[in-house]
Amino acid sequence: MQALRDSLKTGQWKKVYLFYGEESYLKRSYKKQVKNAIVGEDDSMNYNYFEGKEAANVNEIMGIADTMPFFADRRLIIVEDSGLFKTSASDEFCEYMANISDTTVLLFIESEIDKRNKLYKAVAANGSVIEMGRQPDNKLVDWIVKMLVKDGKNITRRDLDYLLERTGNDMENINNEVKKLIDYTYGRDVITKEDIDDICTEQINGRIFEMVDAVSEGKQKRALELYGDLLLLKEPPMRILFMLARQFSKLLQAGELVKKGMGKAQLAEQMKIQPFIAGKYISQLQKFPVSKVKKALEECAATEEAVKTGFLNDRLGVELLLVNCSMK
């Protein structure tokens, strides 16, 4: 990532780039910065954009890449969501990565790639491959603080952690929620937990985490209330079941690592999660031991089978699961 930032500052560009990963906000942000740096916002003569598998005609891309820029230093071609890094691109196109004109910058932007793919290897050998995945806790904290300081806002670290817990680690969602908080607290300097509760939309992941919290504490009523909230939000019962099973699975993984003597920091690094999430897992495990987590996972599997075989209604099945798992 630093090499890309350097290119944006110095104007020294490689011939080909690949941005990939699940953090759409970063990919979109850097795409815009690269476009503005190389051709500007209004230069349509030296800018070409291809989106989707059907639009990514490699012969057309190579033909444009060989065309000299019109009264400019460089031509920029962006190819997005082409699928070329998950399928077999032609040998000619792969070999072309070494022969791109010095006056052309070719940028690929993908969500998923296969590192065994020939085109991936060709881009890596002749240009720059940059992963834009979910960002670690410390970077998200720094980023949020910069946004708030820019608008003259302050927040405690405790409330900042609470904000992240509520929003999740998707930067697009965080960006939207921080903007809402800034507008909501107009005329005040400090953003509080109450402001976050009042204005920020809690993501389904946060509700699922809170539901597992309630289950671990034996709070049946609270678990069922959260389930009802998700149903009101039109979340399908089987999707809720899937996310519960996934959360129990993560909790089981955390429990096995804690057994090995790992603390919060090691847990966060090993599981690639934010430290405050690791701390929550440890807290949950104190009330919900590994044996009960395993039992909960078995209940999830049994519920799924009962629903799929028509023995149970999906809505009732998940409700019974929550009741059984939260029994003290």
Side-chain angles (χ1 to χ4, degrees):
M1 197 82 79
Q2 186 56 49
L4 176 60
R5 295 192 189 102
D6 291 341
S7 293
L8 287 165
K9 288 180 181 178
T10 64
Q12 301 297 311
W13 298 95
K14 294 184 182 293
K15 296 179 181 181
V16 58
Y17 291 84
L18 167 61
F19 298 168
Y20 77 95
E22 60 180 337
E23 187 47 80
S24 298
Y25 180 90
L26 281 180
K27 289 186 292 184
R28 185 167 57 256
S29 174
Y30 279 110
K31 176 177 72 173
K32 182 177 180 180
Q33 291 181 58
V34 168
K35 182 178 184 294
N36 289 341
I38 295 177
V39 295
E41 292 186 3
D42 303 319
D43 186 353
S44 59
M45 298 294 294
N46 299 299
Y47 172 64
N48 297 88
Y49 179 71
F50 299 84
E51 182 180 16
K53 295 178 182 180
E54 294 181 3
N57 184 310
V58 296
N59 291 322
E60 185 180 359
I61 292 168
M62 288 189 289
I64 294 171
D66 285 336
T67 305
M68 291 292 292
F70 187 74
F71 291 111
D73 294 330
R74 288 185 178 85
R75 173 178 297 282
L76 173 64
I77 303 172
I78 296 180
V79 182
E80 190 161 5
D81 294 328
S82 68
L84 291 169
F85 294 85
K86 292 284 286 183
T87 58
S88 298
S90 68
D91 289 341
E92 181 186 6
F93 193 52
C94 293
E95 291 167 4
Y96 185 74
M97 296 303 105
N99 301 304
I100 298 173
S101 169
D102 290 336
T103 58
T104 293
V105 175
L106 177 55
L107 168 60
F108 294 99
I109 304 173
E110 303 288 333
S111 297
E112 296 182 0
I113 55 96
D114 183 347
K115 292 185 179 181
R116 299 167 298 179
N117 178 280
K118 289 178 70 174
L119 183 58
Y120 173 87
K121 292 178 180 178
V123 172
N126 296 286
S128 181
V129 174
I130 303 166
E131 182 178 7
M132 297 184 178
R134 298 297 186 210
Q135 298 299 289
D137 182 47
N138 61 324
K139 288 189 177 181
L140 290 175
V141 166
D142 290 344
W143 177 59
I144 294 170
V145 168
K146 285 178 182 177
M147 283 194 285
L148 293 177
V149 168
K150 185 178 177 181
D151 278 88
K153 303 292 183 181
N154 294 304
I155 189 171
T156 66
R157 180 54 194 260
R158 181 188 294 272
D159 289 345
L160 185 49
D161 284 345
Y162 179 69
L163 173 63
L164 279 173
E165 180 184 335
R166 194 172 179 89
T167 62
N169 61 357
D170 181 271
M171 292 180 73
E172 184 65 49
N173 185 58
I174 294 172
N175 183 57
N176 291 336
E177 297 302 320
V178 169
K179 286 179 178 178
K180 282 162 59 176
L181 279 168
I182 289 170
D183 291 341
Y184 184 71
T185 56
Y186 180 79
R188 289 192 282 121
D189 296 338
V190 179
I191 291 173
T192 67
K193 179 179 181 293
E194 288 70 27
D195 296 323
I196 296 167
D197 285 334
D198 286 346
I199 201 67
C200 290
T201 304
E202 187 173 21
Q203 297 299 291
I204 181 173
N205 287 335
R207 298 276 179 98
I208 293 294
F209 211 112
E210 195 175 346
M211 198 182 295
V212 172
D213 249 349
V215 168
S216 71
E217 295 172 3
K219 296 179 179 178
Q220 281 184 0
K221 183 178 178 182
R222 180 57 181 156
L224 292 173
E225 284 175 353
L226 289 163
Y227 178 47
D229 289 345
L230 290 175
L231 291 175
L232 287 174
L233 292 171
K234 306 299 183 184
E235 288 292 342
M238 293 306 285
R239 172 171 159 77
I240 297 171
L241 175 62
F242 166 77
M243 297 192 73
L244 278 170
R246 187 173 67 174
Q247 195 63 32
F248 284 131
S249 182
K250 288 181 179 179
L251 192 56
L252 180 60
Q253 182 187 356
E256 297 298 339
L257 293 174
V258 168
K259 277 185 178 179
K260 294 178 180 179
M262 290 191 182
K264 183 170 75 171
Q266 291 172 303
L267 202 66
E269 183 178 358
Q270 184 74 20
M271 295 183 66
K272 294 182 171 53
I273 56 177
Q274 296 166 350
F276 73 87
I277 295 293
K280 276 194 161 290
Y281 283 152
I282 292 172
S283 177
Q284 284 179 344
L285 286 164
Q286 290 172 352
K287 311 162 195 168
F288 203 57
V290 168
S291 59
K292 286 192 175 182
V293 178
K294 288 180 179 178
K295 181 66 176 174
L297 274 170
E298 291 172 3
E299 291 268 3
C300 288
T303 300
E304 182 180 10
E305 184 177 359
V307 171
K308 287 183 175 179
T309 56
F311 184 74
L312 264 181
N313 169 273
D314 57 358
R315 181 166 179 164
L316 177 60
V318 177
E319 186 174 320
L320 290 173
L321 166 75
L322 291 170
V323 169
N324 292 335
C325 290
S326 57
M327 289 179 68
K328 292 184 179 179

